[in-house]
Amino acid sequence: MNFKSEGDGEMNQSAGISHIAIIMDGNGRWAERRGLSRTDGHLEGVSAVVRIVKRASERNVKFLTLYTFSAENWKRPQKEVEFILQLPKKFLFQYLPELMRNNVKINILGDLQQLPYSTREALKHAVKKTAKNDGLQLNFALNYGGRQEILKAFETMKEEGIAFTEESVERYLYTNQMPEPDLLIRTGGEKRLSNFLLWQMAYTEFYFSDVLWPDFSNEEFDKALNEFNVRHRRFGGL
């Protein structure tokens, strides 16, 4: 994973895009169409993560949030869940040194308490190790649910006697130190939010791709950014 890009022309600029969120859908279908196991699809999905993290850095994106494991994904077969929850540890073991060299900061959104101990420790180590980096912030949404995040914020605010305003609620969300997503990309052909960043995406632009996540290339990523750049964002105004 080499984050250095050649040249500094327009291809490396992403005007107006600070934060991109991605629902990485299609790993299982990718594998099934090739006669492979769903775990093979998830492994190939990791390669797509590496590719898109690099491209986002090249395009000067400041925040990249990846929907890695939802609070609803526990409903999947146990063996598949166990495999998915080991992938962050394997990813960080292989790529953390390169992420460090390229000034990437790791952050986690979600309730980590239910995750396997070894995965939690690997994530905590990565967050601590990269805490002082100030390049691309890579957010992994793990055991994350948008409704659960909002309810947790409300419960904590009630306990602390905090008045409910938009500004105060935002301070109690996992994303309190970052801007709201400018662009949501969902791969795999589905067109729904799936309980992802519900509060934060009130004015986010949506881009849906039929490409399955393991096949999501730099060209497909650039296509989404180019589409964003020709949209006119009004935020309720004219």
Side-chain angles (χ1 to χ4, degrees), residues 117-185:
Y117 175 80
S118 60
T119 299
R120 293 201 312 269
E121 291 303 300
L123 293 168
K124 290 177 183 177
H125 172 71
V127 169
K128 183 177 180 181
K129 187 79 171 177
T130 63
K132 295 183 179 179
N133 293 350
D134 59 4
L136 171 71
Q137 179 167 311
L138 176 58
N139 303 311
F140 290 108
L142 274 162
N143 195 25
Y144 173 88
R147 291 177 176 176
Q148 293 88 333
E149 177 186 26
I150 294 168
L151 286 174
K152 180 181 178 182
F154 286 173
E155 290 169 359
T156 304
M157 292 173 69
K158 182 178 179 180
E159 291 173 1
E160 297 181 2
I162 304 297
F164 289 83
T165 67
E166 286 191 27
E167 292 75 15
S168 63
V169 171
E170 288 168 359
R171 291 197 297 271
Y172 283 82
L173 300 177
Y174 294 121
T175 53
N176 65 81
Q177 298 294 321
M178 63 190 80
E180 295 177 346
D182 301 294
L183 174 65
L184 168 73
I185 299 171

Coordinates of all heavy atoms in Angstrom, one line a residue, residues 117-185:
Y117 N -12.1 -10.3 22.1 CA -11.1 -9.6 22.9 C -9.9 -9.2 22.0 O -9.4 -8.1 22.0 CB -10.6 -10.4 24.1 CG -9.4 -9.8 24.8 CD1 -9.6 -8.8 25.7 CD2 -8.1 -10.3 24.6 CE1 -8.6 -8.3 26.5 CE2 -7.1 -9.7 25.3 CZ -7.3 -8.7 26.2 OH -6.2 -8.2 26.9
S118 N -9.4 -10.2 21.2 CA -8.2 -9.9 20.4 C -8.5 -8.8 19.3 O -7.6 -8.0 19.0 CB -7.8 -11.2 19.6 OG -8.8 -11.7 18.8
T119 N -9.7 -8.8 18.8 CA -10.1 -7.7 17.9 C -10.1 -6.4 18.6 O -9.6 -5.4 18.0 CB -11.4 -8.0 17.2 OG1 -11.3 -9.3 16.5 CG2 -11.8 -6.9 16.2
R120 N -10.7 -6.3 19.7 CA -10.8 -5.1 20.5 C -9.4 -4.5 20.8 O -9.1 -3.3 20.7 CB -11.5 -5.2 21.8 CG -13.0 -5.5 21.7 CD -13.7 -5.2 23.0 NE -13.1 -5.7 24.2 CZ -13.4 -6.9 24.7 NH1 -14.3 -7.7 24.1 NH2 -12.8 -7.3 25.8
E121 N -8.5 -5.4 21.2 CA -7.1 -5.0 21.6 C -6.4 -4.5 20.3 O -5.6 -3.5 20.4 CB -6.4 -6.2 22.2 CG -6.9 -6.5 23.6 CD -6.8 -5.3 24.6 OE1 -5.7 -4.8 24.8 OE2 -7.9 -4.9 25.1
A122 N -6.5 -5.2 19.2 CA -5.9 -4.7 18.0 C -6.4 -3.3 17.5 O -5.6 -2.5 17.1 CB -6.1 -5.7 16.8
L123 N -7.7 -3.1 17.7 CA -8.3 -1.8 17.3 C -7.8 -0.7 18.3 O -7.4 0.4 17.9 CB -9.8 -1.9 17.4 CG -10.4 -2.8 16.3 CD1 -11.9 -3.0 16.6 CD2 -10.3 -2.1 14.9
K124 N -7.7 -1.0 19.6 CA -7.3 0.0 20.6 C -5.8 0.3 20.3 O -5.4 1.5 20.4 CB -7.4 -0.6 22.0 CG -8.9 -0.7 22.4 CD -9.0 -1.3 23.8 CE -10.4 -1.5 24.3 NZ -10.4 -2.2 25.6
H125 N -5.0 -0.7 20.0 CA -3.6 -0.5 19.7 C -3.5 0.5 18.4 O -2.6 1.4 18.4 CB -2.9 -1.8 19.4 CG -1.5 -1.6 18.9 ND1 -0.4 -1.2 19.7 CD2 -0.9 -1.9 17.7 CE1 0.7 -1.1 19.0 NE2 0.4 -1.5 17.8
A126 N -4.2 0.2 17.4 CA -4.2 1.0 16.2 C -4.6 2.4 16.4 O -4.0 3.4 15.9 CB -5.0 0.4 15.1
V127 N -5.7 2.6 17.2 CA -6.1 4.0 17.5 C -5.1 4.7 18.3 O -4.8 5.9 18.0 CB -7.5 3.9 18.3 CG1 -7.8 5.3 18.9 CG2 -8.6 3.4 17.4
K128 N -4.5 4.1 19.3 CA -3.4 4.7 20.1 C -2.2 5.0 19.3 O -1.6 6.1 19.3 CB -3.1 3.9 21.3 CG -2.1 4.5 22.2 CD -1.8 3.6 23.4 CE -0.8 4.2 24.4 NZ -0.5 3.3 25.5
K129 N -1.8 4.1 18.4 CA -0.6 4.2 17.6 C -0.7 5.3 16.6 O 0.3 6.0 16.4 CB -0.3 2.9 16.9 CG 1.0 2.8 16.2 CD 2.1 2.5 17.1 CE 3.4 2.2 16.3 NZ 4.6 2.0 17.2
T130 N -1.9 5.5 16.1 CA -2.0 6.5 15.0 C -2.6 7.9 15.5 O -2.9 8.7 14.7 CB -2.9 6.0 13.9 OG1 -4.3 5.7 14.4 CG2 -2.4 4.7 13.3
A131 N -2.8 8.0 16.8 CA -3.5 9.1 17.4 C -3.0 10.5 17.0 O -3.7 11.5 16.8 CB -3.6 9.0 18.9
K132 N -1.7 10.6 16.8 CA -1.0 11.9 16.5 C -0.9 12.1 15.0 O -0.5 13.2 14.6 CB 0.3 12.0 17.2 CG 0.3 12.0 18.7 CD 1.6 12.1 19.3 CE 1.6 12.1 20.8 NZ 2.9 12.3 21.4
N133 N -1.3 11.2 14.2 CA -1.3 11.4 12.7 C -2.4 12.4 12.3 O -3.4 12.4 12.9 CB -1.5 10.0 12.0 CG -0.4 9.1 12.2 OD1 0.7 9.4 12.7 ND2 -0.5 7.8 11.8
D134 N -2.1 13.2 11.3 CA -3.0 14.2 10.9 C -3.3 14.2 9.4 O -3.7 15.1 8.8 CB -2.5 15.6 11.3 CG -1.2 15.9 10.7 OD1 -0.6 15.1 9.9 OD2 -0.7 17.0 11.0
G135 N -3.1 13.0 8.8 CA -3.5 12.8 7.4 C -5.0 12.3 7.3 O -5.8 12.7 8.1
L136 N -5.3 11.4 6.3 CA -6.6 10.8 6.2 C -7.0 10.2 7.5 O -6.2 9.4 8.1 CB -6.6 9.8 5.1 CG -7.8 8.9 4.9 CD1 -9.0 9.7 4.4 CD2 -7.5 7.7 4.1
Q137 N -8.2 10.5 8.0 CA -8.8 9.7 9.1 C -9.7 8.6 8.6 O -10.7 8.9 7.9 CB -9.6 10.6 10.1 CG -10.2 9.9 11.2 CD -10.7 10.8 12.3 OE1 -10.0 11.7 12.8 NE2 -11.9 10.5 12.8
L138 N -9.3 7.4 8.9 CA -10.0 6.2 8.5 C -10.9 5.7 9.6 O -10.3 5.2 10.6 CB -9.0 5.1 8.0 CG -9.5 3.8 7.6 CD1 -10.5 3.9 6.4 CD2 -8.4 2.9 7.2
N139 N -12.2 5.8 9.5 CA -13.1 5.4 10.5 C -13.7 4.0 10.1 O -14.3 3.9 9.0 CB -14.3 6.4 10.6 CG -13.8 7.8 10.9 OD1 -13.0 8.0 11.8 ND2 -14.3 8.8 10.2
F140 N -13.6 3.1 11.0 CA -14.2 1.8 10.9 C -15.5 1.8 11.7 O -15.4 1.9 12.9 CB -13.3 0.6 11.3 CG -12.1 0.4 10.4 CD1 -10.8 0.8 10.8 CD2 -12.3 -0.1 9.1 CE1 -9.8 0.6 10.0 CE2 -11.2 -0.3 8.3 CZ -9.9 0.0 8.7
A141 N -16.6 1.6 11.1 CA -17.9 1.5 11.8 C -18.1 0.0 12.1 O -18.4 -0.8 11.2 CB -19.1 2.1 11.0
L142 N -17.9 -0.4 13.4 CA -17.9 -1.8 13.8 C -18.9 -2.0 14.9 O -18.9 -1.2 15.9 CB -16.5 -2.2 14.3 CG -15.5 -2.6 13.3 CD1 -14.1 -2.6 13.9 CD2 -15.8 -4.1 12.9
N143 N -19.8 -3.0 14.8 CA -20.9 -3.2 15.7 C -21.6 -1.8 15.8 O -21.9 -1.4 17.0 CB -20.4 -3.7 17.0 CG -21.6 -4.2 17.9 OD1 -22.6 -4.7 17.3 ND2 -21.4 -4.2 19.2
Y144 N -21.9 -1.2 14.7 CA -22.5 0.1 14.7 C -23.9 0.1 14.2 O -24.2 -0.6 13.3 CB -21.6 1.0 13.8 CG -22.3 2.4 13.6 CD1 -22.0 3.4 14.4 CD2 -23.2 2.6 12.5 CE1 -22.7 4.7 14.3 CE2 -23.8 3.8 12.4 CZ -23.6 4.8 13.2 OH -24.2 6.0 13.1
G145 N -24.7 0.9 14.8 CA -26.1 1.1 14.3 C -26.5 2.6 14.5 O -26.2 3.1 15.6
G146 N -27.0 3.2 13.5 CA -27.4 4.6 13.7 C -28.4 4.9 14.7 O -28.3 5.8 15.5
R147 N -29.5 4.1 14.8 CA -30.5 4.2 15.8 C -29.9 4.0 17.2 O -30.2 4.8 18.1 CB -31.7 3.3 15.6 CG -32.5 3.5 14.4 CD -33.6 2.5 14.2 NE -34.4 2.8 13.0 CZ -35.4 2.0 12.6 NH1 -35.6 0.8 13.2 NH2 -36.2 2.4 11.6
Q148 N -29.1 3.0 17.3 CA -28.5 2.7 18.6 C -27.6 3.9 19.1 O -27.5 4.2 20.3 CB -27.6 1.4 18.6 CG -28.5 0.2 18.4 CD -28.8 -0.1 16.9 OE1 -28.8 0.8 16.0 NE2 -29.0 -1.4 16.6
E149 N -26.8 4.5 18.1 CA -26.0 5.6 18.4 C -26.8 6.8 19.0 O -26.4 7.4 20.0 CB -25.2 6.0 17.2 CG -24.3 7.3 17.4 CD -23.7 7.8 16.1 OE1 -24.2 7.5 15.0 OE2 -22.6 8.4 16.2
I150 N -27.9 7.1 18.3 CA -28.8 8.2 18.8 C -29.4 7.9 20.1 O -29.4 8.8 21.0 CB -29.8 8.5 17.7 CG1 -29.2 9.0 16.4 CG2 -30.8 9.5 18.2 CD1 -30.2 9.0 15.2
L151 N -29.9 6.7 20.3 CA -30.4 6.4 21.6 C -29.4 6.5 22.8 O -29.7 7.0 23.9 CB -31.0 5.0 21.6 CG -32.4 4.8 20.8 CD1 -32.7 3.4 20.7 CD2 -33.5 5.6 21.5
K152 N -28.2 6.0 22.5 CA -27.1 6.1 23.5 C -26.8 7.5 23.8 O -26.6 7.9 25.0 CB -25.9 5.4 22.9 CG -24.7 5.4 23.9 CD -23.5 4.7 23.3 CE -22.3 4.8 24.3 NZ -21.1 4.2 23.7
A153 N -26.8 8.4 22.8 CA -26.5 9.8 23.1 C -27.7 10.4 23.9 O -27.4 11.1 24.9 CB -26.5 10.6 21.7
F154 N -28.9 10.1 23.6 CA -30.0 10.6 24.4 C -30.0 10.1 25.8 O -30.2 10.9 26.8 CB -31.4 10.2 23.8 CG -31.7 10.9 22.5 CD1 -32.8 10.5 21.7 CD2 -31.0 12.0 22.0 CE1 -33.2 11.1 20.6 CE2 -31.3 12.6 20.9 CZ -32.4 12.2 20.1
E155 N -29.7 8.9 26.0 CA -29.6 8.3 27.4 C -28.5 9.0 28.2 O -28.7 9.3 29.4 CB -29.4 6.8 27.3 CG -30.6 6.0 26.8 CD -30.2 4.6 26.5 OE1 -29.0 4.2 26.6 OE2 -31.1 3.8 26.0
T156 N -27.4 9.2 27.6 CA -26.3 9.8 28.3 C -26.6 11.3 28.6 O -26.3 11.8 29.7 CB -25.0 9.7 27.5 OG1 -24.7 8.4 27.2 CG2 -23.8 10.3 28.3
M157 N -27.2 12.0 27.7 CA -27.6 13.4 27.9 C -28.6 13.5 29.0 O -28.5 14.4 29.9 CB -28.1 14.0 26.6 CG -27.0 14.1 25.5 SD -27.7 14.6 23.9 CE -28.2 16.3 24.4
K158 N -29.6 12.5 29.1 CA -30.6 12.6 30.1 C -29.9 12.4 31.5 O -30.3 13.1 32.4 CB -31.6 11.5 29.8 CG -32.8 11.5 30.8 CD -33.8 10.4 30.5 CE -34.9 10.4 31.5 NZ -35.9 9.3 31.2
E159 N -29.0 11.4 31.6 CA -28.3 11.1 32.8 C -27.5 12.4 33.3 O -27.4 12.6 34.5 CB -27.4 9.9 32.7 CG -28.1 8.6 32.5 CD -27.1 7.5 32.2 OE1 -25.9 7.8 32.1 OE2 -27.6 6.3 32.0
E160 N -27.0 13.1 32.4 CA -26.1 14.3 32.7 C -26.9 15.6 32.8 O -26.3 16.6 33.1 CB -25.0 14.4 31.7 CG -24.0 13.2 31.7 CD -22.9 13.3 30.7 OE1 -22.8 14.4 30.0 OE2 -22.1 12.4 30.6
G161 N -28.2 15.5 32.5 CA -29.1 16.7 32.6 C -28.8 17.7 31.5 O -28.9 18.9 31.7
I162 N -28.4 17.2 30.3 CA -28.1 18.1 29.2 C -29.3 18.4 28.4 O -30.1 17.5 28.0 CB -27.0 17.5 28.3 CG1 -25.7 17.1 29.1 CG2 -26.6 18.4 27.1 CD1 -25.1 18.3 29.7
A163 N -29.6 19.6 28.1 CA -30.7 20.0 27.2 C -30.5 19.5 25.8 O -29.4 19.4 25.3 CB -30.9 21.5 27.2
F164 N -31.7 19.1 25.2 CA -31.6 18.5 23.8 C -31.7 19.6 22.8 O -32.7 20.2 22.6 CB -32.8 17.5 23.6 CG -32.6 16.2 24.4 CD1 -33.0 16.2 25.8 CD2 -32.1 15.1 23.9 CE1 -32.9 15.0 26.5 CE2 -32.0 13.9 24.6 CZ -32.3 13.9 25.9
T165 N -30.6 19.8 22.1 CA -30.5 20.6 20.9 C -29.7 19.9 19.9 O -29.0 18.9 20.2 CB -29.8 22.0 21.2 OG1 -28.4 21.7 21.5 CG2 -30.5 22.7 22.4
E166 N -29.8 20.3 18.6 CA -29.0 19.7 17.6 C -27.5 19.7 17.9 O -26.8 18.7 17.8 CB -29.2 20.4 16.2 CG -30.6 20.1 15.6 CD -30.6 20.5 14.1 OE1 -29.6 20.6 13.5 OE2 -31.7 20.8 13.7
E167 N -27.1 20.8 18.4 CA -25.6 21.0 18.7 C -25.2 20.1 19.9 O -24.2 19.5 19.8 CB -25.3 22.5 19.0 CG -25.4 23.4 17.9 CD -26.9 23.7 17.5 OE1 -27.8 23.5 18.3 OE2 -27.1 24.3 16.4
S168 N -26.1 20.0 20.9 CA -25.7 19.2 22.1 C -25.7 17.7 21.7 O -24.8 16.9 22.1 CB -26.6 19.5 23.3 OG -27.9 19.1 23.0
V169 N -26.7 17.3 20.9 CA -26.8 15.9 20.5 C -25.5 15.5 19.7 O -24.9 14.4 20.0 CB -28.0 15.6 19.7 CG1 -28.0 14.2 19.1 CG2 -29.3 15.7 20.6
E170 N -25.1 16.3 18.8 CA -23.9 16.0 18.0 C -22.7 15.8 18.8 O -21.8 15.1 18.4 CB -23.8 17.2 17.0 CG -24.8 17.1 15.9 CD -24.8 18.3 15.0 OE1 -24.0 19.3 15.2 OE2 -25.6 18.4 14.1
R171 N -22.6 16.5 20.0 CA -21.4 16.3 20.8 C -21.4 14.9 21.5 O -20.3 14.5 21.9 CB -21.4 17.4 21.9 CG -21.1 18.8 21.4 CD -20.7 19.7 22.5 NE -21.7 19.9 23.5 CZ -22.7 20.9 23.5 NH1 -22.7 21.7 22.4 NH2 -23.6 21.0 24.4
Y172 N -22.5 14.2 21.5 CA -22.5 12.9 22.1 C -22.5 11.8 21.1 O -22.7 10.6 21.5 CB -23.8 12.8 23.0 CG -23.6 13.6 24.3 CD1 -23.7 14.9 24.4 CD2 -23.2 12.9 25.5 CE1 -23.5 15.6 25.6 CE2 -23.0 13.6 26.7 CZ -23.1 14.9 26.7 OH -22.9 15.6 27.9
L173 N -22.4 12.1 19.8 CA -22.3 11.1 18.8 C -20.8 10.6 18.6 O -19.9 11.3 19.0 CB -22.8 11.6 17.5 CG -24.3 12.0 17.5 CD1 -24.7 12.6 16.1 CD2 -25.2 10.9 17.9
Y174 N -20.7 9.4 18.0 CA -19.3 8.9 17.7 C -18.5 9.9 16.8 O -17.3 9.9 16.8 CB -19.4 7.5 17.1 CG -19.9 6.4 17.9 CD1 -21.1 5.7 17.5 CD2 -19.3 6.1 19.1 CE1 -21.6 4.7 18.3 CE2 -19.8 5.1 19.9 CZ -21.0 4.4 19.5 OH -21.5 3.3 20.3
T175 N -19.3 10.6 16.0 CA -18.6 11.5 15.0 C -18.4 12.9 15.5 O -18.3 13.8 14.6 CB -19.5 11.5 13.7 OG1 -20.9 11.9 14.1 CG2 -19.5 10.1 13.1
N176 N -18.4 13.1 16.8 CA -18.4 14.5 17.3 C -17.2 15.3 16.9 O -17.2 16.5 17.0 CB -18.6 14.5 18.8 CG -17.4 13.9 19.5 OD1 -16.4 14.4 19.8 ND2 -17.6 12.6 19.9
Q177 N -16.1 14.7 16.5 CA -14.9 15.4 16.2 C -14.7 15.5 14.7 O -13.5 15.8 14.2 CB -13.7 14.7 16.8 CG -13.7 14.7 18.3 CD -13.6 16.1 18.9 OE1 -12.9 16.9 18.5 NE2 -14.4 16.3 20.0
M178 N -15.7 15.3 13.9 CA -15.5 15.3 12.4 C -16.7 15.9 11.7 O -17.8 16.0 12.3 CB -15.3 13.9 11.9 CG -16.4 12.9 12.1 SD -16.0 11.2 11.8 CE -15.1 10.8 13.3
P179 N -16.6 16.4 10.5 CA -17.7 16.9 9.7 C -18.6 15.8 9.3 O -18.3 14.7 9.3 CB -17.0 17.6 8.5 CG -15.8 16.8 8.3 CD -15.3 16.5 9.7
E180 N -19.9 16.2 9.0 CA -20.8 15.2 8.5 C -20.4 14.8 7.1 O -19.7 15.5 6.4 CB -22.2 15.9 8.5 CG -22.8 16.2 9.9 CD -24.1 16.9 9.8 OE1 -24.5 17.3 8.7 OE2 -24.8 17.0 10.9
P181 N -20.8 13.6 6.7 CA -20.4 13.1 5.4 C -20.9 14.0 4.3 O -22.1 14.4 4.3 CB -21.0 11.7 5.3 CG -21.2 11.3 6.7 CD -21.5 12.5 7.5
D182 N -20.1 14.3 3.3 CA -20.5 15.0 2.1 C -21.1 14.0 1.1 O -22.1 14.4 0.4 CB -19.3 15.7 1.5 CG -18.6 16.7 2.4 OD1 -19.3 17.7 2.7 OD2 -17.5 16.4 2.8
L183 N -20.6 12.8 1.1 CA -21.0 11.9 0.1 C -21.1 10.5 0.7 O -20.2 10.0 1.4 CB -20.0 11.8 -1.1 CG -20.1 10.8 -2.2 CD1 -21.4 11.0 -2.9 CD2 -18.9 10.8 -3.1
L184 N -22.2 9.8 0.4 CA -22.3 8.4 0.8 C -22.3 7.6 -0.5 O -23.0 7.9 -1.5 CB -23.7 8.1 1.4 CG -24.0 6.6 1.5 CD1 -23.2 5.9 2.6 CD2 -25.5 6.4 1.8
I185 N -21.4 6.6 -0.5 CA -21.3 5.6 -1.6 C -21.8 4.3 -1.1 O -21.4 3.8 -0.1 CB -19.9 5.5 -2.2 CG1 -19.3 6.8 -2.7 CG2 -19.8 4.4 -3.2 CD1 -17.9 6.8 -3.0

